[in-house]
Amino acid sequence: MPFRDTIGHRQLVRLLSRSIAAGSLPPSLIFSGPEGVGKKRTALALAQALNCSRSVVSGQWPVASGWGSVVRGQGPGETGDELPIDACGECPACRRIARNAYPDVFLVQPEDSASIKIEQIRDVIAQTAYRPFEGRRRVVIIDEADAMGADAQDALLKSLEEPPPHSVFVLVSAHADVLAPTVRSRCPRLRFGRLNPAEIARALARDHGYTEEESRLAAALAGGSLGRALEAAAGGLDDVRAAACRALRQVAEAADSRGRLEGARGLTGARGAGSTTAADREQLAARVTALLALVRDLAILSSRAHGGAVANLDLTSELEGLSRLYDRDRIVRAFTAADRALRALGRNASPKIVADWLALQL
Ligand SMILES: [Zn+2]
């Protein structure tokens, strides 16, 4: 899928395209950001743009001028889409890259053991010693790069320090801070942000055959991650929404703050207290995102003006029950608090502290 068809991240995509055109693309990069927002897809689009038989790449390879160590994606709403270089998406090179069947584009991923082994890294480095077979640039994409152990990262380090000519390394990771400092310091980082619901809904309708209503609901609950929207569709979404519904009800019906904190347990899950892994944070973020979507629906129902825009249409009876507990003021408070809770989780706050705080605010 060429740059122009990727969802969101327009500023990052433009930067990549311009850098290829100017011959200033760094030979090693980190694509960091939440799961399921299109980092790997963008890396493949980069590989296509570098090797498409119909795109023209100018400039000498590679002078990393003008790149800071960290590049952040802009939020939604930005405009302007000029891409000096893009793949056609149709030629044999583009098609084979999309199928992971192109000899000069390597996709390294964790194997069964859920880790990327040093042998995988050694194999791919051995390949980069030669000129590309067919393409102009060899592209090594290491997906879930944080799954590399210390030895695998060490093995990669020399290639990042002195990249083989004609090669570019892209390390894709939702947990880039876990990578060794030596690796991070050699790779400028592109930070991918979350997608907005409209972008997700568009992708679900365009690429996954969702109806308008299905895509709106899934997008509202996806927390900015297309991957999460698709996972939710495969199962689990109902559980997340049920947990959020229960917590909203329990907190509102609680007689005192102890009862409210009980409601917070329903958001953090069984492992609850003191648990601070990334997975716990993700789980809480999913539930708070579902809670936010429910509160948004309560706001819509309370105004009675736009009944059709309710995201959780299939939960109408639960929403009506909740609407007796949440008046306008409380809805506004809940909305603000849930939004702040999500931001705090994005800054790696403790799930327990965030859930307790949220339960007391609702
Ligand atoms: Zn092409």
Side-chain angles (χ1 to χ4, degrees):
M1 171 178 294
F3 283 143
R4 63 184 169 279
D5 291 335
T6 57
I7 300 290
H9 316 302
R10 303 326 292 169
Q11 193 204 15
L12 297 183
V13 164
R14 267 202 308 279
L15 175 67
L16 289 169
S17 175
R18 284 190 193 142
S19 301
I20 297 171
S24 64
L25 186 76
S28 43
L29 288 163
I30 292 175
F31 287 7
S32 73
E35 304 272 9
V37 298
K39 300 184 297 298
K40 184 169 83 175
R41 187 165 269 208
T42 304
L44 285 167
L46 173 68
Q48 286 180 324
L50 287 167
N51 286 300
C52 172
S53 56
R54 293 180 199 161
S55 78
V56 180
V57 180
S58 61
Q60 280 300 306
W61 193 253
V63 184
S65 60
W67 279 73
S69 62
V70 173
V71 183
R72 282 172 196 281
Q74 256 176 17
E78 52 178 317
T79 54
D81 244 346
E82 73 283 17
L83 296 169
I85 294 279
D86 199 4
C88 72
E90 302 291 331
C91 71
C94 282
R95 287 174 182 277
R96 287 161 71 203
I97 290 168
R99 289 201 312 270
N100 193 21
Y102 191 70
D104 295 311
V105 176
F106 298 110
L107 181 60
V108 181
Q109 302 183 97
E111 291 185 333
D112 304 341
S113 62
S115 69
I116 295 175
K117 299 198 184 68
I118 186 169
E119 291 78 18
Q120 292 175 266
I121 297 298
R122 283 191 181 135
D123 283 352
V124 84
I125 288 173
Q127 301 284 338
T128 60
Y130 306 99
R131 291 184 64 82
F133 296 104
E134 296 182 27
R136 291 187 297 270
R137 301 282 184 243
R138 180 172 288 110
V139 182
V140 178
I141 299 167
I142 304 181
D143 192 26
E144 299 182 48
D146 48 276
M148 287 187 290
D151 55 350
Q153 294 189 50
D154 271 351
L156 184 61
L157 202 53
K158 189 161 182 331
S159 298
L160 299 179
E161 277 169 350
E162 297 170 39
H166 308 291
S167 290
V168 57
F169 289 79
V170 183
L171 279 58
V172 174
S173 175
H175 313 284
D177 292 331
V178 176
L179 291 166
T182 43
V183 168
R184 276 184 279 137
S185 69
R186 280 159 185 80
C187 307
R189 189 192 295 201
L190 268 64
R191 287 185 194 269
F192 286 64
R194 295 189 181 276
L195 298 167
N196 67 42
E199 289 168 337
I200 293 177
R202 198 167 67 242
L204 291 173
R206 186 190 71 181
D207 302 332
H208 301 279
Y210 280 50
T211 65
E212 191 188 336
E213 186 189 323
E214 287 166 346
S215 53
R216 192 175 62 226
L217 169 60
L221 297 181
S225 162
L226 179 58
R228 187 188 288 166
L230 293 169
E231 265 170 34
L237 174 60
D238 287 345
D239 292 346
V240 170
R241 287 195 301 167
C245 246
R246 262 197 316 275
L248 278 172
R249 177 179 292 280
Q250 202 173 346
V251 165
E253 288 176 339
D256 53 20
S257 55
R258 181 181 298 179
R260 287 167 164 266
L261 293 174
E262 284 293 316
R265 296 292 84 76
L267 289 172
T268 49
R271 293 167 67 191
S275 195
T276 56
T277 65
D280 296 322
R281 206 170 280 121
E282 278 287 307
Q283 183 189 49
L284 177 59
R287 290 176 179 180
V288 175
T289 304
L291 186 148
L292 196 57
L294 289 164
V295 172
R296 192 184 294 127
D297 284 351
L298 289 174
I300 291 166
L301 287 176
S302 79
S303 72
R304 292 282 167 194
H306 309 92
V310 170
N312 298 279
L313 272 176
D314 54 330
L315 294 183
T316 307
S317 66
E318 285 88 341
L319 285 169
E320 276 170 7
L322 284 171
S323 68
R324 285 190 280 279
L325 298 165
Y326 284 78
D327 61 16
R328 288 292 293 180
D329 287 350
R330 193 167 206 171
I331 287 170
V332 171
R333 208 163 62 232
F335 200 85
T336 310
D339 189 47
R340 282 187 64 185
L342 281 178
R343 286 169 194 273
L345 288 171
R347 292 191 304 268
N348 290 345
S350 147
K352 175 174 163 33
I353 290 173
V354 171
D356 285 354
W357 176 84
L358 178 59
L360 295 173
Q361 301 296 314
L362 288 173

